[in-house]
Amino acid sequence: MNRHLTPRTLRGRLALMALATSALWIGVLTTVFNIALDKRLHGQADDVLRTRAEAVTATVDVRPDGRLVVREPTEDRALDAGVWIFQGGTVVEKPPTAPAGLEAQAARLAGRRETFADTEGPGSWRLYAFPVDAPARQGHTPTQVGTVVSSVSLDPYRSTADTALIGSIALAVLLLATIYLLTRLVVRRALRPVAAMSEQATRWSAAGAPERFGAQGRPAELAAFATSLDALLDRLAAVLRHEQQQAAELSHELRTPLARITAETEWLTGRPRSTEQQETSLEAIAGAAATMQQICDSLLSEVRTRNTQTPGRSHFFDIARRLAERNASLFPDAPPVTVAADSGAPGVSIGVSKDVAERILTPLLDNARRYAVHSVTLTCEASAGEVTVYVSDDGPGVPEDFVASLFEPGRRARPEDGHDGAGLGLALARRLARAAGGDIALDTAAPGARFVVTLPAG
């Protein structure tokens, strides 16, 4: 069917399907009914012809010399209507009135055994030939000496058949129209709760409302639909909360370096400064800008990781070696990062991209580098479907009273330690890990600080 002719609404499509199915079945039933009626009417006409011919034959006597003698019963006119009696090919008796050409058709049936014949034309007739046999002698077969031909007009039967055909077609059209209208009405009433639920879901999702439909007390189909809508609303609510939280964190974390850039710029332009003061101020501005870039890159990486369908694949050993070399290059005076020699480490694959894996591990290594005394160690263990990376340092560890708020954005264990971190690194690292299907936790039983990073296996 042309797509331009297909109804756009579900109600219209269901009504059209019901109409097509009903039209098929009603058409089949109407055809079968009219064929059966036509056969029945022809059977009735044949019964009338046969009965009339047998009744007339009962009034015919066969003489020994082979002549036919017709007795005259009391209701002779009823029997003579449309009946011919032939002896051989000669007419012995014929009806008082008969349509033109019908006698010639009856004469052609004279001498035949039992048979039917139809005439064509405006006035259709059906004829029946019934043999008149002479009494059989012993040991001989009966001899046909005459023929009784009866006729009946088929016009009344055809009129009945035509009337039944027209009536059945009209009834079929009426039924189809009724079925179509009732189907649209029933489907509209049945879909009314679905439309109401959809409108409510739209309003609730736009406003972030906590209302949910629930499946209790609903039909099975609507219960499944309500469950799906509730799950969709939960996901939308989670996305809204996440976006709101992300916007709040971004605003909070960018406020500090932006304020520092503003302050340094005003300090520089307030009055003339020495070259050394200008260089110090410019370094502070550059550091604050770098912090802002790190915050934005981390948040954007988290968004890309959350939205991507395929997390990627990377090798732990390559990432760990690259991070160790970068640490040695950027911080030559800091404790070195040691990648533990593990027989399985070179072949361990992580189920996240190289960029995401580095952004997860970099804040942990920066934190370890700040507080380590002699060394920072990276180790890896692989298990079924999971890779565990350990970032350890031999520093003083995390203060016990700060463990609960370790991963909260903007929180620092020692604000007076002199480094210019924004307190966002660990929070973003955990968010990235969780977005990739893993997590980050602190091993409080290990000496120093030991972070346990779980990521999906590649």
Side-chain angles (χ1 to χ4, degrees), residues 50-95:
R50 189 179 289 108
T51 301
R52 185 178 297 175
E54 290 175 352
V56 171
T57 302
T59 65
V60 177
D61 294 331
V62 181
R63 296 294 178 86
D65 58 358
R67 289 187 304 111
L68 298 180
V69 177
V70 180
R71 298 192 305 272
E72 298 294 336
T74 54
E75 296 295 336
D76 184 53
R77 290 186 178 181
L79 293 176
D80 289 343
V83 176
W84 288 264
I85 302 175
F86 293 91
Q87 183 170 358
T90 304
V91 178
V92 176
E93 186 174 311
K94 63 180 180 179

Side-chain angles (χ1 to χ4, degrees), residues 96-352:
T97 59
L102 189 60
E103 185 173 345
Q105 181 68 23
R108 282 194 290 270
L109 296 178
R112 294 189 183 184
R113 302 300 293 179
E114 188 175 0
T115 185
F116 290 92
D118 292 328
T119 64
E120 298 296 334
S124 299
W125 292 76
R126 187 165 176 81
L127 295 90
Y128 172 66
F130 188 78
V132 178
D133 296 331
R137 297 180 181 179
Q138 188 174 5
H140 294 79
T141 58
T143 303
Q144 182 177 351
V145 295
T147 309
V148 175
V149 178
S150 59
S151 65
V152 67
S153 176
L154 295 179
D155 290 341
Y157 298 96
R158 290 191 174 181
S159 177
T160 301
D162 293 341
T163 302
L165 177 60
I166 295 173
S168 61
I169 292 176
L171 179 61
V173 172
L174 180 61
L175 284 174
L176 290 176
T178 304
I179 289 172
Y180 181 74
L181 294 176
L182 288 178
T183 302
R184 287 184 66 90
L185 178 62
V186 170
V187 172
R188 182 176 63 182
R189 292 179 64 87
L191 293 179
R192 191 175 299 166
V194 179
M197 292 172 63
S198 299
E199 293 176 0
Q200 289 178 340
T202 302
R203 292 196 302 268
W204 293 348
S205 61
E211 290 87 352
R212 295 296 182 266
F213 296 104
Q216 187 175 4
R218 301 183 183 274
E221 296 81 0
L222 290 183
F225 183 56
T227 302
S228 300
L229 284 179
D230 287 344
L232 178 61
L233 290 172
D234 289 339
R235 289 195 294 270
L236 290 175
V239 170
L240 288 174
R241 289 194 303 269
H242 179 83
E243 297 300 332
Q244 292 170 356
Q245 180 183 6
Q246 187 181 49
E249 291 176 0
L250 181 62
S251 175
H252 177 270
E253 297 303 329
L254 291 179
R255 189 178 296 115
T256 299
L258 185 60
R260 184 168 185 180
I261 291 175
T262 303
E264 292 292 343
T265 304
E266 292 176 351
W267 186 78
L268 278 175
T269 58
R271 58 187 178 85
R273 305 292 178 181
S274 65
T275 303
E276 183 179 356
Q277 290 175 334
Q278 290 180 359
E279 291 179 354
T280 303
S281 183
L282 290 175
E283 288 179 0
I285 292 174
T291 300
M292 292 178 64
Q293 181 178 2
Q294 179 186 4
I295 293 171
C296 292
D297 290 344
S298 299
L299 288 173
L300 290 176
S301 295
E302 187 270 334
V303 172
R304 286 194 297 268
T305 303
R306 186 180 72 245
N307 293 335
T308 184
Q309 296 296 323
T310 304
R313 188 168 181 263
S314 56
H315 294 282
F316 165 75
F317 188 75
D318 296 337
I319 295 171
R321 183 176 57 187
R322 187 181 299 106
L323 291 176
E325 293 173 353
R326 182 186 303 169
N327 182 77
S329 174
L330 295 177
F331 308 100
D333 298 331
V337 176
T338 303
V339 181
D342 190 296
S343 59
V348 174
S349 296
I350 304 174
V352 296

